[in-house]
Amino acid sequence: MHTDSVRCLNATGFHNMVYHEWGSRDNARVLVCVHGLARNSRDFDELALALSREYRVICPDIVGRGASDWLPSGQPYDIPQYLSDMTTLLARLNVDTVDWVGTSMGGIIGICLAALSDSPIKHLVLNDIGAFVPATALQRIAEYLGDKHFQSLSDVEQYMRSTYLSFNNLTDKQWRHLAKYGSRLQSNGEYALHYDPAIAEAAKHSCSDDVDLWPFWSAIKIPQLLIWGEESDVLPEQTVRDMQANDQLELFTIPEIGHVPSLMERPQIEKVKMWLREQHRHN
């Protein structure tokens, strides 16, 4: 794994967005993996490693998360900012086309980019996110976000185990990985979650309305794999059924879990790997 950063523009200046790169830089086949609202790029370590022989895999920390800078006080954490940052990253990569894996918020960013004319995205994997997100699900997510502090990494791990219930099949080693990279050690010796607390505040103020992405999703004309946690409140069954009207969409259902599949379990990794391989076989 190689770590780099790119300078992106915000309303009052610049900020650094860190990204991790796997595989050969000479590989013209590029996969961008983008994490969820309160997560970070290291969620994709196992997926990136598994795909690094076939792809140059790029996993960014979206601004305000992980090793990336936080936005200046008062600057909004919103989709337009993320689209701008990802466009800057794609320009840095200097490639004509990419494939995209997006978990939750990362999938929303992918949907918005893939809907645009002449988009570089050619294959889109959506991890438990679709064309409509109910406000009730957004409110639930907003409830567990915040400026939380912990006395030890073990406390961080216990918080994550009790919060990310859909990750229930992960090993102890994987949970330790999530705790290590999902937290930051502060000067007072306590641990905090590895994102700007302003993200939590923004989520609480923007969760009163449904997110309707149908106009964007309807404009997408590329193959898609939709990974669905069958008990997900973020991706309701009716939304999944409506999306299946698109004959370029393949559905991968994971029973007995909700939002969001970890993409750290072997069957999930293998499904993404084989689906992407099949798409390129047809091209």
Side-chain angles (χ1 to χ4, degrees), residues 181-221:
Y181 292 106
S183 63
R184 51 190 167 87
L185 181 61
Q186 302 185 112
S187 59
N188 62 1
E190 293 184 339
Y191 289 84
L193 297 176
H194 217 332
Y195 58 80
D196 184 350
I199 292 170
E201 291 304 311
K204 290 174 183 176
H205 287 103
S206 63
C207 65
S208 58
D209 297 320
D210 299 331
V211 175
D212 185 351
L213 297 171
W214 285 112
F216 293 92
W217 187 81
S218 298
I220 297 174
K221 308 301 181 185

Side-chain angles (χ1 to χ4, degrees), residues 218-230:
S218 298
I220 297 174
K221 308 301 181 185
I222 58 174
Q224 300 164 69
L225 173 65
L226 178 62
I227 301 171
W228 177 37
E230 198 170 27

